[in-house]
Amino acid sequence: DTAVSQTPKYLVTQMGNDKSIKCEQNLGHDTMYWYKQDSKKFLKIMFSYNNKELIINETVPNRFSPKSPDKAHLNLHINSLELGDSAVYFCASSPGTGPSYEQYFGPGTRLTVT
Amino acid sequence: AQTVTQSQPEMSVQEAETVTLSCTYDTSESDYYLFWYKQPPSRQMILVIRQEAYKQQNATENRFSVNFQKAAKSFSLKISDSQLGDAAMYFCAYRNNAGKSTFGDGTTLTVKP
């Protein structure tokens, strides 16, 4: 009964390729997020969707495109992968956008670009 | 823009002892929440404790408690009776009304048997 799941857990690919990471939550939450954690463990928000609408879009290269087909899913597509994209990408969800809501994190996807 | 600073990249504590992890933040907002997350080697992010800015009473969850000083913009985490399973990276996080979270750089906690 995984609350927030991500696929794949590990992804190794070459520079220039296009790849997608999928996220699904079965908690009935309205809000979902993508975070990037780099090699120094810095964790930074990339995007947030509420009821399938984009509400947070940080300064992220436009090679990154999130897509939310429904409230339970938030996918991340990355075009023309670069070495600097290597990181762990976390999906998270929360019941709403308010500051009091706990965020539930997925297990992370470790992306390695060679 | 909000910033969160964890000034201790690494800390260590003897098993059963108490350790305090520091966190300071900068914001001009009045309504926000503060969180401490734990990330063990499994890399799963686990919520440890949260604090509402409007509440003066410090939050407590079993062996974990915070010292929230709003005027000083300080939010430290105290772990009592440290256990081997507490070894992890700890992140302090600030969350504003728009739901945007800003994380500190993390503190790696080692627990010595």
Side-chain angles (χ1 to χ4, degrees), chain A residues 8-27:
Chain A
K9 286 199 170 65
Y10 298 92
L11 184 54
V12 181
T13 188
Q14 292 184 325
M15 283 175 57
N17 285 348
D18 302 338
K19 289 293 179 186
S20 292
I21 306 171
K22 296 186 176 181
C23 177
E24 177 181 3
Q25 53 97 359
N26 62 6
L27 298 166

Side-chain angles (χ1 to χ4, degrees), chain A residues 101-112:
Chain A
Y101 291 118
E102 179 179 348
Q103 289 183 309
Y104 294 76
F105 284 81
T109 295
R110 181 178 293 280
L111 171 64
T112 304

